[in-house]
Amino acid sequence: MSEIEFRRAQAPDLPAIVALLADDALGAGREDPSTPLAPSYLEAFSAIEADPNQLLAVAVEAGQVIATLQLSFIPGISRKGVWRGQIEGVRVARHRRSGGVGKQMIEWAIETCRSRNCSFVQLTTDKSRGEAHAFYERLGFTASHLGYKMAL
């Protein structure tokens, strides 16, 4: 296997990113990987690119996007004004799952948060994703909070 590069996503990566997001049981019902991509994906990508506290990242191997995640850097007043890193939208290509790519990408994300002087890194994962919960726990994350969402 060739070397994996972790980097900021570029506009040409967007179809592959959306395809990764759509390639699981939850994403299949909420994403649309058909091309041309819906304008909302392009608008979201532009907003992420324009915000210095957002980083849409990809893992690339042999010129192909094989994984993605989004990092948000969040300032806060609580905890004496520390910054936190928020990891979202983690996906690994089906043919590369269980091969260490996800672990490498999360470790890269944690180091990126350290380089931005974040005091901690956090993430959420759907309650139905038991394998993901075990994966994050193996990497040292703890299920310390209960999260809520409200659709608007």
Side-chain angles (χ1 to χ4, degrees), residues 57-138:
V58 290
V60 178
E61 181 179 51
Q64 300 295 311
V65 173
I66 60 167
T68 189
L69 62 71
Q70 182 173 339
L71 279 174
S72 298
F73 304 103
I74 306 167
I77 298 300
S78 68
R79 298 180 184 240
K80 301 178 183 172
V82 303
W83 282 74
R84 65 195 71 201
Q86 174 81 23
I87 300 173
E88 292 287 336
V90 179
R91 298 292 190 285
V92 175
R94 188 175 298 271
H95 71 283
R96 293 307 314 273
R97 293 178 190 158
S98 299
V101 174
K103 179 180 186 287
Q104 287 179 280
M105 189 160 208
I106 295 296
E107 289 170 346
W108 175 87
I110 291 167
E111 286 307 311
T112 301
C113 291
R114 275 194 184 103
S115 75
R116 291 279 306 251
N117 296 316
C118 293
S119 292
F120 60 95
V121 61
Q122 61 192 26
L123 56 82
T124 61
T125 181
D126 193 274
K127 284 185 175 185
S128 69
R129 295 185 188 275
E131 289 180 12
H133 304 164
F135 168 73
Y136 293 124
E137 288 170 4
R138 283 192 305 274

Side-chain angles (χ1 to χ4, degrees), residues 6-14 17 45 48-49 55-60 65 67-69 105 108:
F6 299 99
R7 62 166 170 78
R8 177 179 290 279
Q10 300 166 359
D13 300 325
L14 199 50
I17 292 168
F45 181 80
I48 291 166
E49 278 294 288
L55 173 59
L56 181 61
V58 290
V60 178
V65 173
T68 189
L69 62 71
M105 189 160 208
W108 175 87

